Amino acid sequence: MPNSWEQYFEENRAQLDIHQPDEERMWQAIAERQKSGGVVKNWGFRIAIAIAVVLAVGVFVRHELMMQQQLDTLAAINKELAAKEHDYIMRVNQKWDEFRSLPSVETDYDAMLQEEIKILDDIYSKCLDDIKAHGYNERAVLIMLDTYEKRLRVLERLINEKRKQNKDEKKSNHIRI
Amino acid sequence: MSKAINLTEQLVARCVRGDERASLALYKQYVKAMYNVAYRIVGNQFDAEDLIQDAFVKAFDKIGTLKEPKAFGSWLKQMVINQSISLIRKQKLLKIKLHLNDELPEPELDEVPPDLPIEQVMKAVMELPEGARVVFTLRVIEGFKFSEIAQMTGLTENNCKVQFHRSRKLLNNQLKSKIYAE
């Protein structure tokens, strides 16, 4: 017979844990909390992660700064834009060659074209400056691509004008003869 | 025994390396005992569950700082006890300070009836007033000295002794009346 509570509990220690916890549910809560906050357990690993993050941010910032400093065409931003710009440049050059190949009595067309192209070049440069100053932005890129579309339309219009003029010229020569 | 200790040490080492299965194994090994330790102090299932979750999260987070892996169990238990006491102090449930006198009464012999079922005794312990239950649990079940209980609860050693005496008296009377009622 136990003569004290200390002795009684000592003798019944194996049966002391009478309450049964909901182990599964509690573990799920613990695992979730570990995933959200306490996953990284040892200090070495924490320091390594901190260094990796600092390095990654450093490399990213350096890359952004370098990119912004060297950015003088859309092609410097990414491969997709590089391909698009290359395609536009080829098409514009073809139109240029076509425009120049057509004989013209009217010299004003060249001046008009130069003026329009100058305006489009300015727009392109302003957008590029905006990207350099504030980083990549979709709107500026779209405007820059649009300047190529406009160049093509201007060239096509002037080529048509030249063709029309040449046709008229031929007609009037024929009538004179 | 040594096998069990080796297993705990191995699990702790794997846990330090971030092995989730080792964490689960350690949890399964200790959860029931720790839950009951917390339950006996805080006196209800909900606080005990919250405490155990907090204690395991904290333990797994700080397991790398554990100097003796084989002492994981006692380290965790101390954490559970400290958090349990901290919770009831926060909830101002630990009304241990006596309003009447703080003098130690004459020691009284326990009248522990033979073959008393543990469930009945534990139920009676849980029905003790908060302060008496906490001191009784820490002293008799967890085996702490009065000086250690005083340090953990922030009470005087004498106050703890008075509270312990009170708990024994209440427990004896409660069980006596239950036995006579049967």
Side-chain angles (χ1 to χ4, degrees):
Chain A
M1 176 177 155
N3 54 18
S4 73
W5 284 116
E6 280 91 342
Q7 196 183 338
Y8 175 83
F9 280 104
E10 197 49 53
E11 284 171 9
N12 290 282
R13 189 151 289 278
Q15 303 160 58
L16 261 180
D17 296 339
I18 55 167
H19 304 288
Q20 186 60 48
D22 185 346
E23 292 184 20
E24 194 63 34
R25 186 171 52 80
M26 282 163 65
W27 174 251
Q28 276 179 2
I30 291 167
E32 266 172 40
R33 280 173 62 183
Q34 276 195 289
K35 272 177 197 157
S36 62
V39 188
V40 183
K41 290 182 186 74
N42 68 51
W43 278 104
F45 196 39
R46 285 181 194 194
I47 291 166
I49 285 181
I51 291 169
V53 168
V54 168
L55 283 176
V57 169
V59 167
F60 176 75
V61 168
R62 191 165 170 267
H63 175 260
E64 281 293 299
L65 287 173
M66 279 175 67
M67 213 181 108
Q68 285 176 22
Q69 279 169 4
Q70 292 170 359
L71 199 69
D72 50 10
T73 60
L74 274 178
I77 296 175
N78 64 41
K79 280 183 184 173
E80 196 189 340
L81 286 175
K84 266 189 188 174
E85 187 164 51
H86 178 72
D87 181 53
Y88 272 125
I89 290 169
M90 296 286 282
R91 283 160 64 195
V92 169
N93 287 343
Q94 275 175 3
K95 294 284 174 195
W96 259 111
D97 292 344
E98 195 181 343
F99 175 80
R100 282 181 178 151
S101 67
L102 291 169
S104 172
V105 282
E106 192 70 72
T107 52
D108 285 352
Y109 286 134
D110 280 345
M112 276 167 66
L113 182 64
Q114 295 292 346
E115 203 177 311
E116 295 250 15
I117 296 295
K118 170 96 180 43
I119 292 167
L120 292 170
D121 279 344
D122 285 348
I123 294 170
Y124 186 96
S125 301
K126 275 180 188 165
C127 289
L128 204 58
D129 289 344
D130 189 57
I131 292 174
K132 279 183 192 176
H134 306 108
Y136 177 83
N137 83 76
E138 191 83 32
R139 193 171 166 270
V141 170
L142 288 175
I143 293 171
M144 287 165 83
L145 290 175
D146 191 53
T147 61
Y148 285 110
E149 285 286 345
K150 287 195 168 89
R151 275 171 230 252
L152 288 171
R153 284 205 294 274
V154 168
L155 280 164
E156 270 169 20
R157 203 179 71 222
L158 292 175
I159 288 167
N160 287 338
E161 287 292 330
K162 266 192 174 182
R163 279 187 184 142
K164 201 176 151 192
Q165 190 194 41
N166 288 342
K167 212 174 170 183
D168 291 344
E169 193 71 27
K170 274 180 189 169
K171 258 187 195 172
S172 61
N173 282 345
H174 187 70
I175 292 163
R176 258 182 246 149
I177 292 163
Chain B
M1 182 69 187
S2 68
K3 252 188 183 177
I5 290 172
N6 284 340
L7 179 67
T8 304
E9 280 186 272
Q10 284 170 15
L11 288 174
V12 168
R14 280 169 53 197
C15 206
V16 171
R17 292 196 296 270
D19 184 339
E20 266 185 53
R21 281 180 302 176
S23 307
L24 178 60
L26 275 177
Y27 167 80
K28 286 200 167 171
Q29 192 179 331
Y30 289 102
V31 66
K32 192 178 176 190
M34 295 302 130
Y35 176 77
N36 276 276
V37 168
Y39 200 125
R40 288 192 287 265
I41 298 173
V42 296
N44 72 81
Q45 172 200 339
F46 305 106
D47 285 337
E49 281 185 3
D50 285 349
L51 274 166
I52 292 307
Q53 287 170 28
D54 287 347
F56 272 102
V57 169
K58 199 173 166 188
F60 290 142
D61 198 36
K62 293 187 183 298
I63 201 162
T65 65
L66 183 62
K67 283 175 188 161
E68 283 185 63
K70 63 182 174 188
F72 177 80
S74 48
W75 179 66
L76 181 65
K77 186 173 167 181
Q78 192 59 55
M79 213 180 269
V80 169
I81 291 172
N82 288 344
Q83 281 182 221
S84 303
I85 292 171
S86 165
L87 179 80
I88 51 177
R89 285 177 78 177
K90 225 183 274 173
Q91 291 175 341
K92 292 180 183 168
L93 291 171
L94 196 60
K95 294 162 190 161
I96 291 180
K97 273 211 163 147
L98 294 177
H99 297 293
L100 302 168
N101 67 50
D102 213 11
E103 279 179 22
L104 201 58
E106 284 298 306
E108 201 177 283
L109 280 175
D110 288 326
E111 296 167 45
V112 185
D115 304 326
L116 195 60
I118 187 79
E119 289 82 7
Q120 202 173 348
V121 175
M122 285 315 293
K123 193 169 179 291
V125 171
M126 297 313 285
E127 283 168 6
L128 288 172
E130 193 82 26
R133 193 190 71 232
V134 171
V135 175
F136 183 87
T137 302
L138 292 175
R139 171 72 188 170
V140 176
I141 303 177
E142 306 305 342
F144 287 103
K145 294 174 190 160
F146 283 118
S147 57
E148 292 168 323
I149 299 170
Q151 206 175 3
M152 281 189 273
T153 56
L155 300 167
T156 64
E157 207 174 312
N158 207 39
N159 208 309
C160 290
K161 285 177 184 171
V162 170
Q163 206 51 257
F164 178 60
H165 172 80
R166 186 182 167 216
S167 66
R168 274 165 56 192
K169 201 172 177 180
L170 285 167
L171 196 60
N172 288 340
N173 291 341
Q174 215 172 333
L175 286 166
K176 228 185 272 176
S177 62
K178 274 185 185 171
I179 288 163
Y180 290 142
E182 283 167 5

